[in-house]
DNA sequence: ATTCTATGAGTAATCGTTTACTCACAGAAC
DNA sequence: GTTCTGTGAGTAAACGATTACTCATAGAAT
């Protein structure tokens, strides 16, 4: 039960005042080289670690960032969180990660908890905007932009170039020779997903070629069973579909599973393209062609903007768009003869 | 920039002292029903949230738990963390999650950060034991048991019944009629994996049947490329292998990919069984037979034991073993004729 | 010799809570 | 009428850091 040493003990041990110890720790203020050495020695010998609760109380800076995520079980979000954490830890910030399970109510509760913990900033992947009580906390909206976001020097949005992603997907399918396209998504697309959809539609309109048809497949939910059912129905009523754009990788993998079960060769009969470049996309067989959102770049940008706002820098722009790129793997290369299956 | 309200403002608004407000908030001490109502009203009206840094400073209880995990990108660990978080949040505890990327050095640094944050307790999935400076913090070692763990009323180990899991895997393969088995794992198995291996070996010894052979395939690393290469070599030099036990699901999926690429039908030619019951096991095609570690049960047990220790209860046992179970899916059912592929 | 300036370091107030003491008051017991 | 007991609520001292002031000293400038 030996109590942890506090700053007073260090001060005593080094024969200085607590103020001096604090100054040495924070490289803040003046002290002689000799004093510094004595203090550092005392710290090292006693294994002293400053109490961040006390520090946070005094300075209102807790060195803690709250990250709110819809579902950490989704590999893409896990990647995003992983990268965020790395970037923040480098700057000595700890990360409190919260799952909302897509529930707006739970999200409110979690944000209140984060406020209680006096987080220095918040990263929100949510699609909702934060309550007014949080306007004083620097916030980065990541990946999903809330519709009713209130712009302020403490709010910033970072999102992938979803519109262009949708366009790239459409072009790739067309380049593979697909003529009857379908886009497939869960019934309540968020703002980001709508942009992907817009980019896709716009591209088809722009090509303005009579022989190209397109339809939309809307899923009641994202489960494998639902995908199988809905896909079977659609393929039954509209035969000839030869290109599918799935608005997320998870849906793409579910779709691929459904196609494999019905012995539809991919990409020979149907080309398939996802969105996210989830770690699974590359692991799957056949590896999924997809639109890559660069989780590392996005997370690093989010971290730097957030830390900037925390240290009082007004963000240069309220809205950053991270480029996306097509990652061509095995589900769109129009191969000769047989595909990966059958 | 309106400052958050503090307890003094609430006290003023309700016409009582801060002590009374605190007592009402913590259901601690005496106050009349009428006073309580006035205080609650003031709290609700001002959206007051107690400052946990101050509370933690005073009480040494920060309502925060540190969770240290080797790699949150591994779906099984993600599930564990997810469940832990749910269980802890229900009890009003926040969770700081840290990734060690399997680095012992980074782990030390992360633990120091957690100490600085005055966490109330720690959950460690690591294989190493915590440094002595952390002996005062209640700790749950999860999933992987450190070899040199120091038992104390503040240390507890929770692990799956790995030995029995190994046994179940061996029995399942034998029940499928496999006669030439192999177990496949990465070169530095941790304690848990060694136990799985022991259970597997022991079962083969126990059956004591001459016609049953077994070998071990040791991977230099867990990458898909390495699995493919090593597997090809082994299958080349020792033909006839008809049952594979992979010590983790991720290895199992890599193995399955390698087999699919070499057109080996699963389970017709080779039966395959994993360990963990990662969310991917069920998503994959064909769905993977595996030994399920119940992440939900494990996490809930960990949370309750940790919160128990935090509130001063001596744990009943230092070492809890959570049962595992065989989940039979499509990679071991010896089907008639063709398997899922070819 | 006096004043000025720069440097190094200490004093003490402060952050927002909790909680050990203290106390006023009302009713009960004597 | 006095003492005792229980209840409700206030006072003020912590908790461990940071930092605005203050001050002693020494060397430079006058």
């Amino acid at each position: 039960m030996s109590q942890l040493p506090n700053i007073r003990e260090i001060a005593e041990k080094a024969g200085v005042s607590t103020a001096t110890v604090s100054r040495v720790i924070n490289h803040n203020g003046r002290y002689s080289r000799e004093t510094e050495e004595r203090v550092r020695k005392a710290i090292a010998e006693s294994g002293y670690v400053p109490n961040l609760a006390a520090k946070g109380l005094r300075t209102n800076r807790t060195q803690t960032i709250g990250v709110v995520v819809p579902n950490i079980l989704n590999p893409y979000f896990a990647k995003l969180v992983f990268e965020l954490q790395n970037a923040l830890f480098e700057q000595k910030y700890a990360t409190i990660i919260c799952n909302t399970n897509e529930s707006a109510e739970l999200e409110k509760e979690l944000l209140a908890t984060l406020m209680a913990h006096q987080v220095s900033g918040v990263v929100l992947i949510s699609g909702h905007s934060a309550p007014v009580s949080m306007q004083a906390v620097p916030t980065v909206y990541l990946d999903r932009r809330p519709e009713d976001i209130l712009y302020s020097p403490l709010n910033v949005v970072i999102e992938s170039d979803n519109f262009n992603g949708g366009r790239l997907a459409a072009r790739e399918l067309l380049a593979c020779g697909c003529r009857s396209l379908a886009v497939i998504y869960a019934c309540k697309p968020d703002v980001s997903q709508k942009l992907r959809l817009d980019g896709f539609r716009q591209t088809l309109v722009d090509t303005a070629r009579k022989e190209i048809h397109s339809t939309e497949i809307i899923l009641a939910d994202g489960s494998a069973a639902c995908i199988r059912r809905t896909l079977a129905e659609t393929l039954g009523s509209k035969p000839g579909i030869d290109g599918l754009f799935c608005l997320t990788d998870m849906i793409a993998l579910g779709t691929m599973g459904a196609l494999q079960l019905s012995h539809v060769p991919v990409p020979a009969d149907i080309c398939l393209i996802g969105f996210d470049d989830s770690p699974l996309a590359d692991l799957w067989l056949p590896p999924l062609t997809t639109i890559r959102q660069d989780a590392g770049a996005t997370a690093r940008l989010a971290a730097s903007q957030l830390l900037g706002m925390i240290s009082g820098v007004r963000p240069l722009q309220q809205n950053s768009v991270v480029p996306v790129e097509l990652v061509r793997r095995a589900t769109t290369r129009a191969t000769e003869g047989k595909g990966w299956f059958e």
Side-chain angles (χ1 to χ4, degrees), chain A:
Chain A
M1 293 293 162
S2 72
Q3 286 308 310
L4 296 177
N6 60 22
I7 200 172
R8 239 183 311 271
E9 287 170 48
I10 303 300
E12 218 164 298
K13 194 162 180 169
V16 298
S17 72
T18 61
T20 301
V21 177
S22 170
R23 281 191 281 252
V24 169
I25 291 173
N26 300 293
H27 309 93
N28 182 353
R30 310 174 189 294
Y31 40 84
S32 67
R33 177 154 294 295
E34 190 213 357
T35 307
E36 170 169 7
E37 258 173 41
R38 277 217 312 287
V39 171
R40 293 216 178 282
K41 186 151 159 276
I43 291 179
E45 278 175 6
S46 52
Y48 167 69
V49 185
N51 181 325
L52 288 180
K55 179 175 184 155
L57 177 58
R58 184 58 229 260
T59 60
N60 269 327
R61 278 173 269 123
T62 47
Q63 306 271 96
T64 307
I65 302 291
V67 176
V68 175
V69 101
N71 179 9
I72 195 139
L73 296 181
N74 178 319
Y76 177 66
F77 291 135
K79 183 95 198 298
L80 219 42
V81 166
F82 175 82
E83 298 283 358
L84 262 173
Q85 226 168 20
N86 288 350
L88 290 171
F89 184 74
E90 268 175 27
Q91 309 292 326
K92 300 282 169 214
Y93 278 78
T95 330
I96 298 184
I97 295 164
C98 307
N99 258 283
T100 66
N101 297 323
E102 305 276 6
S103 143
E105 206 162 330
L106 183 52
E107 183 179 329
K108 264 177 75 176
E109 228 182 304
L110 287 163
L111 286 174
T113 307
L114 290 177
M115 291 295 288
H117 278 271
Q118 311 290 112
V119 291
S120 305
V122 172
V123 177
L124 218 51
I125 310 179
S126 111
H128 311 104
S129 60
V132 277
S133 64
M134 274 192 52
Q135 292 303 338
V137 181
T139 303
V140 172
Y141 292 91
L142 204 60
D143 198 68
R144 303 179 178 178
R145 172 157 45 95
E147 312 207 4
D148 57 343
I149 183 166
L150 182 85
Y151 285 104
S152 94
L154 293 178
N155 278 346
V156 132
V157 176
I158 297 176
E159 53 187 339
S160 294
D161 192 347
N162 287 293
F163 187 86
N164 190 44
R167 190 144 59 188
L168 291 176
R171 285 194 193 144
E172 170 71 2
L173 290 179
L174 292 176
C176 288
C178 302
R179 290 297 168 259
S180 180
L181 309 183
V183 50
I184 173 167
Y185 54 94
C187 60
K188 294 228 171 66
D190 58 42
V191 187
S192 309
Q193 295 183 10
K194 279 189 193 133
L195 284 170
R196 299 171 193 176
L197 202 49
D198 289 345
F200 185 81
R201 287 177 183 148
Q202 188 62 49
T203 307
L204 295 191
V205 170
D206 289 350
T207 57
R209 277 158 60 185
K210 287 264 171 52
E211 73 273 26
I212 293 179
H213 301 280
S214 113
T215 181
E216 305 199 351
I217 305 176
I218 299 168
L219 305 165
D221 62 87
S223 71
C226 175
I227 292 177
R228 249 186 310 252
R229 194 169 354 99
T230 316
L231 200 65
E233 280 170 21
T234 310
L235 260 38
S237 68
K238 305 194 184 180
I241 287 180
D242 54 4
L244 282 175
F245 174 35
C246 304
L247 251 40
T248 72
D249 275 0
M250 293 314 282
I251 294 178
L253 297 184
T255 302
M256 186 135 53
L259 293 175
Q260 289 176 224
L261 283 177
S262 349
H263 302 283
V264 176
V266 173
D269 279 16
I270 294 189
C271 286
L272 195 65
I273 186 163
F275 205 111
D276 281 346
D277 197 26
S278 157
L280 290 187
D282 195 31
L283 205 64
W284 203 266
L285 279 181
L288 178 69
T289 292
T290 190
I291 306 297
R292 170 179 295 163
Q293 306 193 67
D294 188 334
T298 307
R300 277 190 300 276
L301 181 61
S304 87
Q305 296 228 15
L306 189 58
L307 296 181
M309 289 192 287
I310 288 172
S311 55
V313 181
R314 274 185 84 99
L316 291 177
Q317 45 192 2
Q318 301 272 278
N319 204 312
S320 306
V321 174
V322 180
V324 298
E325 66 180 312
L326 171 73
V327 180
R328 189 180 290 120
R329 296 208 179 89
T331 57
T332 55
R333 212 164 354 206
T335 52
E336 321 259 322
K338 297 185 128 220
W340 280 75
F341 295 101
E342 298 303 316

